[in-house]
Amino acid sequence: MTQKKPNILWICTDQQRFDTLGSSGNTFVKTPNLDNLADESANFTNSFVQSPICMPSRASFLTGRYPRTTRLRQNGQTIPIEERPISRILRDAGYYCGLVGKFHLSPSAPEVNETIERRFNDGYNEFNWAGDPQNQWGNHSGYSKFLHDSGQKFKTTIHPDCKYIEIGMPKAFHETTWCANTAIEFIKRQSKNTSPWMFSMNMFAPHHPFNPPMEMLERYISKIESIPLPNAFEDDLSLKPPYQNIDSKGAYGQTLPYHKGLSTNDHRMIRAAYWAMCDLVDDAVGNVLDALERSGQKDDTIVIFMSDHGEMLGDHGIYLKGPYFYDPAIRVPFMMRYPRKITPGEKIGLTELVDVVPTLLEACDLEIHEGIQGQSLWNDLAINKQYTGRDSVYCEYYNAMPHQKTPKPQLTMIRTEEFKLIVDHTNDCGELYHLTENPSETINYWSDKNFIEIKSELLTQLTHRMAFTVDPLPKRIADW
């Protein structure tokens, strides 16, 4: 008898940086469920997105192609309909696919989409969409409909001790909990079916505005003075591309009030609210994984946990995200569990999230089509059980946000285990960091004559990486 193809539970948070789990060394957060998942998974502790911005990053890891190749390089663009996300490939192979929360491969702004974001042949049989928790789309948003049916209205209040964070919806009615409950119901239903399934659980947390339930925030308030401050005061941004100095005075090109000069209490309160949202994510994930096990499908299901990009959280004087490639902005959690095939363990090699799709396709014994640019990790995980990682990771920012208008930022990055090079193609400047000597990335060696040879070598490597992001499609069908 042929064994059924594995189910896939793909859990993706929004704007969660790599150091937000107990398993990553954070002693403040409370993440027992994700720490346990890390222990049971191939835990890729040096994983990087291919864009620090939501839509280009999601387009990349959902198709296995680089952002510039998908042509979704910017927030607010619409992915071309010929692009093939993993959900469509799996649906065409007989999978039943569901989603809850964000998708974000087309604009969600209500002035463009009054109902939901534009769908294309995305492959989802169930599409429980919510662009964000706010009631901007009426009951077209699955979360808003859930609140309406529960007799609730979405409401947050400014915290009395810090105007930069909010007290969010109670835990039972938070968008994170709604996502988890929707996933649980899907898993229960699919346990009675014979076809394999994939479910995308795309929570909005811990994305700003920082609005955890009060019951999740309280334990941080009691120890607020012990929360470490960001490294904002160690960095001279005048020696770096100009966007960083601009955003240090107000996020998103000074359109939002998070900035370097906040009081120490405000910096700590923002960090506390962010971590409380990460705790809420952990609680939700734990409930879903418990339901998966109770349904008898744990051993037959690949579980992925990751995020679409990171969060600066005040480090380098910057909040949120933008045209910069510090590790807090581009390095994210990524773990993959499959009890039947994957041996658990920490994988410290450099990893790109563009590799997720080809890895899943090989795990499901499906063809990796010609347009996919990522590299499958499956052979290293399930056969050799060794993983050395990539020689480098590549990331790009092509005017990805609308806030920096003059000049428009065009930047690319290459990161090895020892060095990181960023080129600001707009302003003919850049950054060079010696990561083993200065892991906090505060010393820029771009103009240091002692690093000319290393800089030249990295520029060559970056050029090669950019060259190989060229689209492999259309497929060659003849010699001439």
Side-chain angles (χ1 to χ4, degrees), residues 215-255:
E215 59 261 48
M216 306 301 292
L217 181 61
E218 284 175 333
R219 75 179 193 89
Y220 289 98
I221 302 301
S222 65
K223 54 182 178 182
I224 195 70
E225 292 298 324
S226 66
I227 291 177
L229 292 169
N231 69 356
F233 313 106
E234 304 170 15
D235 211 343
D236 185 355
L237 298 182
S238 68
L239 302 177
K240 302 187 178 186
Y243 319 107
Q244 297 183 33
N245 192 45
I246 293 170
D247 282 8
S248 74
K249 299 171 184 176
Y252 286 3
Q254 301 180 18
T255 62

Side-chain angles (χ1 to χ4, degrees), residues 30-40 279 281-287 289-290 335 337:
K30 188 177 181 181
T31 57
N33 298 296
L34 286 168
D35 297 342
N36 183 63
L37 181 63
D39 289 340
E40 295 179 345
D279 293 351
V281 165
D282 179 83
D283 189 77
V285 171
N287 290 335
L289 296 181
D290 286 347
M335 53 192 80
R337 184 185 77 182

Side-chain angles (χ1 to χ4, degrees), residues 133-391:
Q134 300 179 65
N135 186 19
Q136 302 186 77
W137 303 273
N139 285 351
H140 297 290
S141 161
Y143 175 59
S144 295
K145 185 176 187 305
F146 157 73
L147 291 181
H148 178 269
D149 293 346
S150 303
Q152 301 288 319
K153 290 185 178 180
F154 181 78
K155 181 181 179 181
T156 62
T157 57
I158 300 298
H159 194 284
D161 296 332
C162 177
K163 66 180 181 180
Y164 301 100
I165 68 171
E166 301 172 355
I167 300 171
M169 293 292 289
K171 182 178 175 182
F173 299 105
H174 202 278
E175 191 260 3
T176 306
T177 306
W178 167 73
C179 285
N181 290 341
T182 305
I184 289 168
E185 290 304 312
F186 180 94
I187 289 167
K188 288 179 181 177
R189 292 195 303 273
Q190 295 312 307
S191 67
K192 302 173 184 177
N193 296 330
T194 57
S195 60
W197 53 265
M198 183 192 83
F199 192 80
S200 301
M201 178 178 161
N202 297 337
M203 297 166 284
F204 192 75
H207 193 290
H208 67 280
F210 306 107
N211 56 6
M214 190 61 193
E215 59 261 48
M216 306 301 292
L217 181 61
E218 284 175 333
R219 75 179 193 89
Y220 289 98
I221 302 301
S222 65
K223 54 182 178 182
I224 195 70
E225 292 298 324
S226 66
I227 291 177
L229 292 169
N231 69 356
F233 313 106
E234 304 170 15
D235 211 343
D236 185 355
L237 298 182
S238 68
L239 302 177
K240 302 187 178 186
Y243 319 107
Q244 297 183 33
N245 192 45
I246 293 170
D247 282 8
S248 74
K249 299 171 184 176
Y252 286 3
Q254 301 180 18
T255 62
L256 290 179
Y258 313 102
H259 61 90
K260 182 177 182 177
L262 300 181
S263 70
T264 56
N265 181 70
D266 287 335
H267 282 304
R268 289 187 169 114
M269 290 288 285
I270 293 172
R271 194 157 287 216
Y274 180 75
W275 285 344
M277 295 177 77
C278 294
D279 293 351
L280 180 63
V281 165
D282 179 83
D283 189 77
V285 171
N287 290 335
V288 173
L289 296 181
D290 286 347
L292 181 69
E293 185 166 10
R294 288 195 304 271
S295 74
Q297 299 178 92
K298 176 180 177 179
D299 290 345
D300 299 317
T301 302
I302 296 173
V303 175
I304 293 172
F305 178 81
M306 53 172 276
S307 195
D308 64 346
H309 54 78
E311 156 69 55
M312 289 302 297
L313 206 60
D315 286 340
H316 305 274
I318 303 169
Y319 278 92
L320 313 186
K321 55 185 178 282
Y324 15 87
F325 300 94
Y326 295 111
D327 273 15
I330 61 171
R331 186 177 167 194
V332 296
F334 171 42
M335 53 192 80
M336 182 182 294
R337 184 185 77 182
Y338 185 25
R340 291 195 185 278
K341 293 288 181 71
I342 294 178
T343 301
E346 184 179 12
K347 312 295 181 184
I348 62 173
L350 296 173
T351 305
E352 293 185 353
L353 291 192
V354 74
D355 296 337
V356 176
V357 163
T359 302
L360 288 176
L361 292 178
E362 189 167 4
C364 298
D365 197 26
L366 296 174
E367 178 186 9
I368 299 174
H369 70 78
E370 294 85 354
I372 288 178
Q373 297 173 298
Q375 303 171 4
S376 173
L377 313 175
W378 188 247
N379 185 63
D380 294 325
L381 296 181
I383 299 175
N384 296 331
K385 298 182 175 62
Q386 297 178 350
Y387 182 68
T388 56
R390 288 175 172 262
D391 294 331

Side-chain angles (χ1 to χ4, degrees), residues 39-58:
D39 289 340
E40 295 179 345
S41 301
N43 184 17
F44 300 87
T45 53
N46 278 296
S47 297
F48 295 83
V49 296
Q50 276 47 79
S51 170
I53 306 302
C54 301
M55 293 182 72
S57 178
R58 289 171 184 264

